Amino acid sequence: MAIFGRTNGHLLTEQTAHDAVDGLAEIARDIIGAAEGAGVSLINTDGTRMSVGATNPRVLEADDQQYELGQGPCMSAWQSGEPVYIADTHTDQRWQKWTTAVAPLGVRSCLSVPLLDKPTGLGAMKVYSNTVDAFSNKDRRLLINLARSAATLLDHIQASDTPQRISNDVKASLAERDTIGVARGILMERLDVDRQAAMNHLIDLATDANTTIGSMAALITDRQDDTDPTPDPDVQAHP
């Protein structure tokens, strides 16, 4: 009840589902002490998936890898309706394509819980950490309780006047991902690096500029000459 009260008071003044899930992601990060990033994904019954709330660019990238690969803890939590915990991405064998893909992002443990709404789930809420086995049973209970409150809130919002807004958010998100894909391709060619290294460099550029990945991607695609082409020291070129 305490978590619901906090969620209620913090978010009911927001006007869109996008604002609501951004706030929910921030609350998840704040109440789970070991979390270094958090996010909320809304997933439609037809399988359309998008990360509509995230506390940092690396959460978005880790989520995008799930959507592109069609596997991962959030996808499983949504499909099964059960919490999913990865204590160590380096040793977990359940979603090897995803765990391999997020290794360069520094994600070592992840806790995902479904956003349950009768008769179907709305999506998933997750927290990430760069530390192995970062989340406790207490963290699991806290996130489950928060997810229940989040599902109630999002269901209320969707039942009122936001279905069209959510649809527009999906379209905008898909357009932004296209831009990110183009920018990633530009960096791959410019820096002679692979797909993951180019994405890591894009994330670093966005972080250094204190802007979003989408905004930085738009800058790269629209004004390529204004973007620093020098590789980050951590970016590894093809052998």
Side-chain angles (χ1 to χ4, degrees):
M1 293 300 294
I3 292 176
F4 180 78
R6 181 182 177 188
T7 306
N8 201 15
H10 187 79
L11 294 173
L12 282 183
T13 58
E14 302 292 349
Q15 299 301 307
T16 66
H18 180 78
D19 291 332
V21 292
D22 272 346
L24 287 164
E26 292 175 1
I27 290 174
R29 178 199 58 201
D30 291 344
I31 69 171
I32 306 296
E36 295 171 55
V40 178
S41 300
L42 294 184
I43 304 175
N44 293 338
T45 54
D46 64 0
T48 301
R49 306 176 294 271
M50 63 177 295
S51 293
V52 291
T55 59
N56 62 56
R58 296 183 191 276
V59 173
L60 285 174
E61 172 61 9
D63 284 353
D64 278 345
Q65 291 290 347
Q66 292 194 65
Y67 308 151
E68 291 182 17
L69 296 170
Q71 63 168 246
C74 291
M75 298 295 299
S76 181
W78 171 69
Q79 291 169 344
S80 68
E82 298 292 336
V84 173
Y85 183 42
I86 297 179
D88 187 355
T89 56
H90 289 191
T91 59
D92 195 286
Q93 301 297 309
R94 288 172 290 181
W95 307 284
Q96 294 185 42
K97 290 182 179 179
W98 181 77
T99 52
T100 299
V102 300
L105 300 176
V107 175
R108 289 301 299 270
S109 55
C110 172
L111 175 62
S112 299
V113 299
L115 292 170
L116 292 177
D117 175 55
K118 297 178 181 179
T120 59
L122 294 172
M125 176 177 287
K126 83 294 308 246
V127 286
Y128 293 130
S129 175
N130 295 342
T131 304
V132 173
D133 200 15
F135 304 111
S136 66
N137 288 332
K138 179 181 177 181
D139 295 329
R140 175 185 173 124
R141 291 192 297 270
L142 284 171
L143 196 61
I144 289 173
N145 286 335
L146 179 58
R148 288 172 181 163
S149 300
T152 300
L153 174 64
L154 292 172
D155 182 57
H156 173 75
I157 292 174
Q158 286 181 301
S160 54
D161 66 344
T162 59
Q164 183 59 47
R165 290 176 183 171
I166 291 176
S167 177
N168 290 338
D169 282 345
V170 172
K171 293 177 182 177
S173 178
L174 292 175
E176 182 177 74
R177 287 181 187 177
D178 287 343
T179 302
I180 291 173
V182 172
R184 179 164 47 194
I186 291 172
L187 291 175
M188 289 174 65
E189 180 177 1
R190 177 182 295 167
L191 305 178
D192 189 26
V193 296
D194 62 21
R195 180 180 180 279
Q196 187 60 60
M199 191 64 211
N200 289 343
H201 189 59
L202 178 59
I203 291 173
D204 290 338
L205 289 173
T207 301
D208 291 343
N210 194 28
T211 189
T212 65
I213 295 178
S215 296
M216 180 56 65
L219 178 64
I220 292 172
T221 56
D222 294 340
R223 302 176 61 190
Q224 297 182 36
D225 292 340
D226 292 344
T227 303
D228 179 13
T230 304
D232 186 276
D234 293 332
V235 175
Q236 299 296 321
H238 290 301

